[in-house]
Every structure is written in structure tokens, then in C-alpha cells.
Amino acid sequence: MARVELFARTEIGCVRERNEDAFIVANITTGVRGLRPTTTVQELTESIGLIGVCDGMGGAAAGDQASRIAAETLYDKLMAATALNEASNVQEAMLGAVVGANRAIAEYARQHPGKRGMGTTMTGVLIYGHELHIVHVGDSRAYIRRGRTLTQLTSDHSIVGQMVATGQLTADQARSYEHRNVLLQALGVQPTIQPELVVANPCAGDVLMVCSDGLTGPLDDNHILEIMLKHHDPVRCCRALTEAACAAGGPDNVTVGIARFLGEGLPIPDPNQGVQVRRASHTLQ
């Protein structure tokens, strides 16, 4: 039977005084969350899984609280969704969750004036049968490793992300660009957001990774892929990736979530075809 194995890990890094990242791993069908046996191994035909990473805005007021609010709101809103029986309902629920998180952070900042400026990224993945539904705001990322290829599924909502997308910078140039940490979007900052929705279909042996930029800052994609190829178990893979980011200087908090797809019933990947992705952006408030 097809199943997914999940794990996530966060580290403060070597420079920051506190960890402003947050992650969520949950079984939406049972309501159980956290790194427990019923969440870290889920049957695809019986459970709806959730894994996500939120990165509080570094240096901003209460970034750790913003990321925690976003992760908890994502979970709460999906748990409250009563009609997760069709893909269109799933996408509506994901968009409702990100809007809810945006409002919740803004309301918290309004009630606590000293926290104004708090915000966070969000990259959340709902594992819905044989589909991945990703809601994304900011510069955390989702990837799929298929065989020996690592494919980025999300777009970076940042100045350098936009410049790479338009061909003004290469990915290598973006890593050392002066304004690489300037976000164009974050939750809790503006009443209007433009989340990206991405849908992909995992194949047997695929590995989904969600991560904060504390991983992709010090490590390039080739280095990340090399580590993922060495460590297939999600627990060991998360540990190896976070430790490698820290060994490379650990300039930021680093959080990694891994989901590995195994078992009968999943399609066999076509070696001549890459990961097929359907994406759309929405303007919401």
C-alpha cells in the first residue's frame, strides 16, 4: 500500500539569538500533530497529511510568534475544513488557511503595538491522496527529488527571486546578491497577499522537501541533492541537511521537512519526463 514517511527538524543556527522558524507535521484525518508514529508514517489512501515550514522575518519584532501563529493557523483552518473530498475544495481550504494566517498575525500585531512589523513566510503542503497541494508565500521553498534530480516547486517571493525569474541574475549570482533577503511578500505585513498554489503528483521513490532559507542560503541545490542522495530515511536526511547548513556557517535559523513516498499504487517515474507542476497565483485579502 502506498504510504508517506515524514519528519521535520529545526536548528537555531550559529548566529541568531533565537529560532524564528516553525514547522508543522500533522495527520489531518485524525487530528494528530507533531512527530508521532501516526503522523510520521501515513497511508495515502487513509490519511490526509500536512507538512509545512514558516520562517519569521529575521530582525523583525516577534518573528518567532509570527511563524508559530502561521503554522498553527494552517493546521487549525485545515482541521476545520469539512469538505476535503475534491481537489477544488482542497485548494479553497488551502487559500482560506493562508488568508486566515495573514489576518491572525496582523490582528496580533494590532493588539500588541510593540510587535508591529512581525511577519513570516509560509510553505505548506497538503498530501491529498496521490496529489501534493502547496500554498506558498515568501522565500521558503518546496522541492521534489526524483531520482538524481532536484526540482524546485515554488517561486521565491523576493527581489532576487524575481530577478532570477526574469533572467537578470543567475541562481549562483543571486546567492551573493546584496538584497537577497528582501521579501516582496510575507504574511502579516499587508492586508492583500498573492499566495502561489502549486499542485504536483508524487511518484514512487519521490522525496518532497520543504525548507526555510536557512538551508538554501548556505547550501546550493547541488550540495542539498548530494546530501539527500546519501540519506534516504527522513529522520537522518533532516538531521544531515540541518547539520550541513550549520557547518557552512549557519547564518540563519534552518528548518527542513521531508516526506518520502513509497509502496505499491504510486506511479513509476518516467526517466524521460521531469516533475510536472501546475501553478497559479491568487490575490486575496
Side-chain angles (χ1 to χ4, degrees):
M1 183 177 292
R3 69 184 188 277
V4 59
E5 299 175 350
L6 305 103
F7 200 75
R9 189 171 191 259
T10 187
E11 287 280 357
I12 194 171
C14 303
V15 175
R16 303 291 190 185
E17 295 183 356
R18 66 178 186 270
N19 196 337
E20 296 187 330
D21 286 3
F23 68 78
I24 181 73
V25 175
N27 184 326
I28 296 300
T29 302
T30 63
V32 178
R33 62 177 171 175
L35 300 175
R36 304 180 182 183
T38 54
T39 61
T40 56
V41 179
Q42 300 184 37
E43 303 293 341
L44 293 181
T45 58
E46 298 177 0
S47 300
I48 298 174
L50 173 65
I51 187 168
V53 167
C54 301
D55 179 358
M57 291 171 60
D64 53 340
Q65 289 174 291
S67 62
R68 176 185 56 80
I69 291 170
E72 291 183 352
T73 303
L74 176 64
Y75 168 80
D76 290 342
K77 292 293 185 181
L78 290 174
M79 283 298 302
T82 58
L84 294 180
N85 55 356
E86 295 181 6
S88 59
N89 295 336
V90 170
Q91 294 184 23
E92 183 178 348
M94 295 292 276
L95 292 174
V98 75
V99 168
N102 191 51
R103 292 175 178 171
I105 297 166
E107 178 61 19
Y108 184 91
R110 187 188 68 80
Q111 294 180 3
H112 301 80
K115 308 298 184 183
R116 287 177 182 172
M118 64 191 294
T120 184
T121 71
M122 176 190 283
T123 303
V125 186
L126 197 70
I127 303 167
Y128 183 78
H130 291 183
E131 292 182 336
L132 305 176
H133 292 263
I134 305 168
V135 65
H136 168 72
V137 174
D139 65 350
S140 296
R141 293 180 179 176
Y143 290 85
I144 279 184
R145 179 186 70 77
R146 178 168 294 171
R148 302 187 65 84
T149 300
L150 188 65
T151 301
Q152 184 176 336
L153 304 179
T154 53
S155 305
D156 291 349
H157 298 151
S158 63
I159 287 178
V160 295
Q162 189 175 71
M163 294 178 73
V164 169
T166 57
Q168 298 176 67
L169 289 176
T170 66
D172 286 340
Q173 290 170 334
R175 293 170 52 76
S176 58
Y177 187 71
E178 181 180 4
H179 303 295
R180 62 188 179 278
N181 295 323
V182 178
L183 293 178
L184 298 176
Q185 282 200 76
L187 297 182
V189 179
Q190 298 290 341
T192 300
I193 54 173
Q194 293 182 302
E196 181 180 42
L197 269 183
V198 181
V199 180
N201 300 94
C203 291
D206 280 1
V207 178
L208 167 76
M209 179 182 71
V210 289
C211 63
S212 64
D213 68 341
L215 180 74
T216 56
L219 305 181
D220 64 24
D221 285 4
N222 288 333
H223 193 172
I224 292 170
L225 174 60
E226 179 183 348
I227 294 170
M228 294 179 74
L229 289 170
K230 287 181 180 178
H231 302 278
H232 297 282
D233 175 71
V235 178
R236 294 182 178 179
C237 190
C238 284
R239 179 180 292 276
L241 287 167
T242 53
E243 289 180 349
C246 291
D252 200 353
N253 312 138
V254 54
T255 303
V256 177
I258 294 288
R260 180 171 64 158
F261 295 86
L262 301 166
E264 297 180 359
L266 286 164
I268 303 301
D270 183 344
N272 299 315
Q273 187 177 58
V275 179
Q276 301 299 302
V277 175
R278 307 183 295 281
R279 66 179 75 248
S281 293
H282 302 260
T283 301
L284 305 168
Q285 61 180 10

